[in-house]
Amino acid sequence: MQAVEASLQRARQLPVQALGPAIRQCAAKLRFMGDCPPMPGPEQQAWLGQRSELLGLWCQAAQQVLGMRPHPTQVRAALEMHNGHLVQLAPGEGKTLAIGLAAALYASSERPCHVVTANDYLAERDAALMQPLLALAGHSVVAIAPESPPEALAAAYRCDVVYATGKQLLADYLRDSLLLDGVKDPAQRRLWEMQRDPRLPRPVGRGLWVAIVDEADSVLIDEATTPLIISSADDNPMLIEAVLAGKQIFESLEQGVDYVVQTEPVPDIRFTEAGKQRINGMAFLLPPFWRFPDRSQGMVSLAVMARHVYQRDRHYLVDEEGKVVIVDEKTGRVMAGRSWSHGIHQAIEAMEGVELSSPPKTVARMTFQTFFNRYHRLCGASGTLQGIHGELLRTYGTWVMPLAPRVPSRLTLAAPRMFSDARSRFEAVLDAVLTCQRQGLPVLVGTRKIADTEALSAALVARGVVHRVLNAKHHAEEALIVAAAGVAGAVTVSTNMAGRGTDIMVPPDLSEQGGLQVLLFEPHEAARIEWQLCGRSGRQGARGHARAFVALKDELLVHAFGRLYVHLLPFLRPLLLQPRLGLLAVRLAQAITQDKAASQRKQLAERERSVANQLSFSD
């Protein structure tokens, strides 16, 4: 850090027009020195000194070109990311600029640098913000827009720094792999290029050198085991016919007589003997392939799941075009272009009465975990890496470096309020919102489900409270809603997405009166996601307040502790209604849930590696 500060002092003596040539000259010297020597000694010290000189020049350029003066925490974060580490920064510490400085250092090596963002809006915003800075030294920057044609994609990937979502990068990588048809060796690749007809499509990527991941916990952990699938149209009229027939049979069944459904703690569907006989008697409605008892019951069970297990405005929504769109429960965001497999998606479409889509045929697939492990270097930043340091190290071989905030936090985390039932909790949240509004304080209510945001919104409308709703149905307005969430008396009801990556600006006078008030409607499976929501408040030393509201039959508690908890709840209720014991129960439930989730991610990763090894007959 002292070397960077010394370089910055020297850079301040340079006029703006001299900064670009100085950066290019310094970067050329660093490239000539190669990669950082692994062993301590004079060569390593010389390399580190040259890098510090370059970073000092970039810091001065940021101040001159962007009007943003990097503070020591941001400089340290950029250095740690250039070392290949994940950085844990407190919310509001300025990850965008820190990542931009790290990208500038990597761009100086003239190797492909990918900055991974949480969504397309952030990719476009951050690329536009950093473009003037990187252009000073002649570096090109681009944000890849979704649905770009191959020619535009190829031009974009030729840029020095590429901002894109992980989904976009992985999809382009899989399409390139399909084009190359397994060709991996550089010599074979050159031969393939020479023999390829120039009129035919060519790969668009330049390779996977470095990925700088913004909101690293979401990308590398929460979405890690979700496979991205490249599919082709595959008309399957027989499956469509079977799904519709299965729905018709289901509608003749009676719950509790012909079938039993248990949704908590895990979904479980069982047909009674009477139900099995009724299904067998109506199996003639199904195509011949599905008329066997096991298959006919399996097809009818899809209809049961579509009615009782998958819930609209929680697991999915129906958009304006009448299409079923999956909703990510962790973030509340829509997962456009994705569908459930094995006929579940079609069963839900049938239950909603919309046109049934043809099930896609899988051409290529890969999990994000596998994809990001293919980068030569992986780094990034997030404000919520608590509790997952070990998993990140085991999975990606990357260390997490927690950095102290520039200004001590003044966010107050109040003890949770515990309630016997969901209705009491609902009324308490409404009362808290009205109290904050009467005091002229901005309030943000965070929920897990779209349905809860809709119910809260309806209740607020009935009470004449002006408010804004932010969920998967209003994602296009996300930035505008979040930007206005910090004004006096503003009420914002949001799913856990909560404008991640966008600051809620609170005027100084409101900050001193108490700042943004965050109300957590329901505990989440991971404490770090709750902290992400709480981190919307109390940023950069401002005052803020956050409180959780917990009902004793919330999903987190029921799923974590199982049926025994439900049976013992009448006896445990007096104890758990005490805030301290209630908080202990919530944290224990979160620890159990996250341990299960980590085990599942580990098993899925091992399965992916096993399948890859079985199919890898040669390289």
Side-chain angles (χ1 to χ4, degrees), residues 313-389:
D313 290 342
R314 177 186 173 187
H315 299 106
Y316 68 91
L317 56 84
V318 179
D319 66 11
E320 297 83 358
E321 299 177 359
K323 295 181 179 179
V324 171
V325 183
I326 299 175
V327 173
D328 185 349
E329 281 195 82
K330 296 183 180 68
T331 63
R333 298 182 188 275
V334 295
M335 303 172 75
R338 298 188 183 181
S339 62
W340 287 294
S341 57
H342 306 299
I344 295 175
H345 204 89
Q346 287 69 35
I348 293 172
E349 290 172 330
M351 202 59 65
E352 290 291 343
V354 301
E355 182 181 355
L356 270 65
S357 59
S358 296
K361 178 182 179 181
T362 299
V363 179
R365 69 186 296 278
M366 182 180 289
T367 64
F368 289 96
Q369 187 179 101
T370 302
F371 173 64
F372 284 113
N373 268 313
R374 298 199 172 188
Y375 276 88
H376 177 80
R377 176 164 290 189
L378 182 65
C379 61
S382 176
T384 48
L385 295 175
Q386 299 92 331
I388 54 174
H389 295 192

Side-chain angles (χ1 to χ4, degrees), residues 216-490:
D217 60 309
S218 175
V219 176
L220 299 180
I221 294 295
D222 297 332
E223 300 176 6
T225 53
T226 303
L228 189 139
I229 297 173
I230 300 294
S231 58
S232 61
D234 183 31
D235 290 335
N236 192 338
M238 190 181 295
L239 177 63
I240 301 297
E241 181 185 349
V243 168
L244 292 172
K247 176 176 178 284
Q248 184 178 349
I249 296 172
F250 160 74
E251 290 172 342
S252 70
L253 304 180
E254 184 179 349
Q255 185 177 0
V257 176
D258 298 312
Y259 66 91
V260 178
V261 179
Q262 175 186 297
T263 57
E264 305 291 349
V266 293
D268 184 30
I269 299 170
R270 297 183 183 181
F271 293 106
T272 64
E273 288 302 320
K276 292 177 182 178
Q277 291 178 11
R278 183 177 289 272
I279 292 171
N280 291 338
M282 300 182 69
F284 66 90
L285 295 172
L286 292 161
F289 180 80
W290 278 279
R291 289 176 185 171
F292 297 96
D294 288 346
R295 293 175 182 173
S296 60
Q297 292 170 27
M299 187 54 65
V300 176
S301 69
L302 292 180
V304 179
M305 291 175 66
R307 172 62 59 84
H308 296 289
V309 177
Y310 289 90
Q311 301 173 21
R312 182 169 177 168
D313 290 342
R314 177 186 173 187
H315 299 106
Y316 68 91
L317 56 84
V318 179
D319 66 11
E320 297 83 358
E321 299 177 359
K323 295 181 179 179
V324 171
V325 183
I326 299 175
V327 173
D328 185 349
E329 281 195 82
K330 296 183 180 68
T331 63
R333 298 182 188 275
V334 295
M335 303 172 75
R338 298 188 183 181
S339 62
W340 287 294
S341 57
H342 306 299
I344 295 175
H345 204 89
Q346 287 69 35
I348 293 172
E349 290 172 330
M351 202 59 65
E352 290 291 343
V354 301
E355 182 181 355
L356 270 65
S357 59
S358 296
K361 178 182 179 181
T362 299
V363 179
R365 69 186 296 278
M366 182 180 289
T367 64
F368 289 96
Q369 187 179 101
T370 302
F371 173 64
F372 284 113
N373 268 313
R374 298 199 172 188
Y375 276 88
H376 177 80
R377 176 164 290 189
L378 182 65
C379 61
S382 176
T384 48
L385 295 175
Q386 299 92 331
I388 54 174
H389 295 192
E391 185 176 356
L392 287 166
L393 180 61
R394 288 192 305 270
T395 306
Y396 300 101
T398 54
W399 292 90
V400 175
M401 306 300 293
L403 298 184
R406 177 169 54 102
V407 181
S409 174
R410 291 200 291 165
L411 174 65
T412 303
L413 294 173
R417 292 187 61 184
M418 309 298 296
F419 300 89
S420 295
D421 56 80
R423 187 65 206 172
S424 301
R425 187 255 309 279
F426 188 90
E427 294 297 332
V429 171
L430 285 178
D431 290 343
V433 170
L434 294 173
T435 300
C436 292
Q437 192 188 46
R438 283 194 296 269
Q439 294 173 350
L441 296 174
V443 58
L444 170 66
V445 184
T447 72
R448 289 185 60 181
K449 309 180 190 74
I450 297 174
D452 288 334
T453 64
E454 305 274 313
L456 282 168
S457 177
L460 291 170
V461 168
R463 288 164 173 76
V465 177
V466 179
H467 64 285
R468 302 292 296 273
V469 176
L470 175 58
N471 59 32
K473 294 183 177 181
H474 307 86
H475 62 91
E477 309 164 41
E478 179 175 342
L480 295 176
I481 293 174
V482 171
V487 302

